[in-house]
Amino acid sequence: MLLTCTQHVMIKVSSNSLSVGKFAHLVVLPTGVESAAERLVNSSQREGGRDEEIVVQFQDVAVGKTAEKKFKIKNTSAVKTEIQLVRQNSSVTPEVFTFVLNNKNLQPDDLVTLSVKFTPMIINEVCIEYFHLHDRSGGSKTTIKCVGTCKGLCVSFASDTIQFGQLSCGKTSTKSLEIINSSDCEAHYQFALDSSESVFKIDQRCGTLQPRSSKKLICSFQATQPINYYKKLACVIHNQEPLFVTLLGTCHSDAVKPAILEARHVDWYNSLTYRGLSWYSPEQIDAMEKEGNVCLDGDGIPTRQEDHQHTAMEEYFHDGYYSHLAFAVPHVSMNVRDIDFGRRIQLDSIMQKSITLTNHTKDKITCVWMGDTSHVFHVTPNSCDIPPLKSTSFRVTFKPTAPDQFYGAELECYAFYKCLTEYWQLEREYISPPWCLPLGTTGHTFSQQSETFLPKLELSSQKLQFPAVSLGESSFTSLLLRNTGATPIQYDFSNDNSGVFLMKPYRGIVEEGQQQVFLLHMSPTKAGRCEKVLQLRLNDDNRNTQKVVLVGYAEEAAVKLDNDGFLFFRPTCLNTFSTQQYGVRNTCRVPLRFEWMMSSDDAKLLTVSPQSGTIAPNEHQMHKWSFKPKEESRTLMKPVLVVTTTRGRLLSKSYLVPAEGKGTLGSLRAAESSVDCHNILAGCMETKNIDVFNDSDCDLHYELHVDSDKVLLQKCRKILRARTIQTIEATVQPTTCGTFTVAISYQLLSSADDTAVYIGEKRHLCYVVVSAVFPTLVATDVSCHGSASGRNKMQLWNLLNLSRFNSLMMKPLPLSSTSQKTTESMMA
């Protein structure tokens, strides 16, 4: 019989899914390099587990130009990610750095190019901005520090003095003046000179210099009045401080022949000015020297001189008229420096305005105006004597020649001591140069029914950003106006009644195809943002107006400290030191000078590097602190950070930074007090691992010592972090048989480098017990075969003397047993 059995079987299948979570990791590489080992030269890994920082340095980029640097970002992880680039919020510096990222999504092992561009806006400024580069998952984070320096122009003269010498009235003398542009960008220049009215003339009064080029200008001197002429001519340059060139000339007539003016006479006059003697005429100084009231050297120069240093920009502005500041009270002053006659409809009528000149010196002066009544603008009387400390009025006449025209000129008046006309009466050749007084004049002849010319112009910028300054300091910038039309343009800037912003010149005429460079001055009276909108009125028509916005900042010293102004050190072993990085960020727009100060007691425990220095605007600077406790206790120290502005009134501010540290005693212990090394062959080596524990709260620098050469340590000086374990490799190499006990001790160090000093005595760590043996050979049984198979074992044992053999084999064998002589002596 066949039996069939049916059974249902259920099979349960289980599946385990394993997955690994990964963070993306981004690596910054130079352009064209894919190896993570080849990083940017100026990248650094911060201490204490901080984010990696990459420094992108731009050097000397011209204002308005753009520099670019590129580097690559690689996704070194096995997952795709999205790049995020975030600018650190900062209201201190303008946004002059921009990033261009062509692809934000990265697959594993993909590369993407990141471009950073730097476009500076303010000359001679150091710009620092921080950007945070990280992936969307937050796995990696890199700080990109962008540093850029904006360079200005470098325009100079081949010579700063031109001496035309002596010539007769009506004659002309010419000289060349070379102007050099040593920078990488073009330079716009303009001489503050009206060649149609001045005795000094320049063929190209304004123009443009190409990068790395020079130009020779033709300067001429033509005078009609037999006097000395001296003019310190300013050359205004866009985006640079002005330059000055000294022009000297002497004109003779048949009847009047003044002494020839030379550069040494100007130096003599300057030395008198420093001593306050220039208020006296050369005749008076000659008399004072005879009376012994003044002491001069052999060249007639005062024996004591004072330093009198100021910048070219300050000299250009601080004349007592355009600015309320002046380096010295003027010897001769004019109550106005600019006259606007406005509209004149009837050409046959005479329009006049009066000006007043004041003599502030101690002797009589003579004032001579250049030009004559044939000019559109002229002054009467043409010459006049002014007694000391007196004033005289002159009339300025506007006599246009054609309707519907703009007129403008800069008249010149030369004032000098009256006694110089008879200089031969002096025992010394005391010659004081004249003072040149310019007077700007404007006017037009457009009727009220006719429209003025439609101005066509270009401004370099309609929003000017001044470099930030400290209180008590001045800041300067420039503006360029180009006349792109075929008609002249009359310009008139409104004034700032507060006196914070000044402009020079603020009124005048720009001929067709020409340009005008304006210099602007800011002198804030209080901290904070300064802003002013200047109205630019063109061609005397309210319908032709433009606005120029001026923005500047006056700063007080201010910084932001890490960790809310507190500094903490981890517990530190006595007489050792622990380090801590502490960040200081400059939150103002001007560089600051800093210095860490502390009491003498705190100075025994704390050191900082750098202790003093300079922090650029928006810079986050890391300072390295070291704490070295002397006793086992918690200590509160009070270092003070003093920050000071580098210019201006040198305003300072102090920040108390409480620093807390704890001194403690530390010790090491081994996992086993005795490490056994059994049955090691003599002459061989064996490695043992010894676990060392640091149960204290402080890091320990230590050095290991052994009292026998049978145990060697791989590295003697080590550092063991607080509450961690470290494995030490000990190499055992016995040379003889036997049991040996080797002691391992340690001694604490002040640091782990070669300059470390020992702290305290040696301390026991553990023992290493070594049992060194040789292999032994023992006879335990004996037997014979063949014809001797009948002998018993005892006979054979005694016959072969195996007991003696065994006793010899059980003896320790020294390493020198390899020699035959030693073996034979043992067998005997």
Side-chain angles (χ1 to χ4, degrees), residues 535-554:
Q535 298 291 335
L536 172 57
R537 191 167 181 262
L538 300 170
N539 291 345
D540 198 21
D541 192 339
N542 293 331
R543 292 171 297 182
N544 299 326
T545 59
Q546 294 191 21
K547 294 181 179 180
V548 177
V549 181
L550 309 180
V551 179
Y553 293 89

Side-chain angles (χ1 to χ4, degrees), residues 4-45:
T4 302
C5 179
T6 302
Q7 184 177 2
H8 295 280
V9 179
M10 180 178 291
I11 301 175
K12 183 178 181 181
V13 180
S14 61
S15 175
N16 294 328
S17 298
L18 298 178
S19 61
V20 179
K22 290 282 188 179
F23 280 112
H25 184 66
L26 303 177
V27 175
V28 181
L29 304 169
T31 303
V33 179
E34 299 186 5
S35 173
E38 299 184 37
R39 309 301 306 277
L40 287 176
V41 175
N42 50 2
S43 66
S44 61
Q45 185 73 26

Side-chain angles (χ1 to χ4, degrees), residues 19 154 158 230 280 323 340 618 632:
S19 61
C154 184
Y230 161 68
Y280 301 93
S323 170
D340 182 19
N618 198 42
E632 189 177 3

Side-chain angles (χ1 to χ4, degrees), residues 651-664:
L651 302 176
S652 62
K653 192 172 183 179
S654 301
Y655 294 85
L656 177 64
V657 182
E660 185 176 333
K662 180 183 178 182
T664 182

Side-chain angles (χ1 to χ4, degrees), residues 113 128 142 207 223 252 274 279 412 433 453 508 520 648 702 780:
T113 301
I128 299 177
T142 302
H252 284 183
Y274 300 153
W279 305 102
E412 287 184 348
F453 302 135
L520 296 98
Y702 66 94
T780 59

Side-chain angles (χ1 to χ4, degrees), residues 162 164 172-178 191 193 199-204 216-222 233 245 247:
I162 298 180
F164 290 96
T172 302
S173 175
T174 59
K175 299 280 186 178
S176 64
L177 174 65
E178 185 177 8
F191 288 92
L193 179 71
V199 295
F200 300 104
K201 307 179 189 303
I202 297 180
D203 62 340
Q204 301 180 51
K216 281 193 175 182
L217 308 177
I218 303 301
C219 303
S220 61
F221 171 59
Q222 183 182 25
L233 179 62
V245 58
L247 305 177

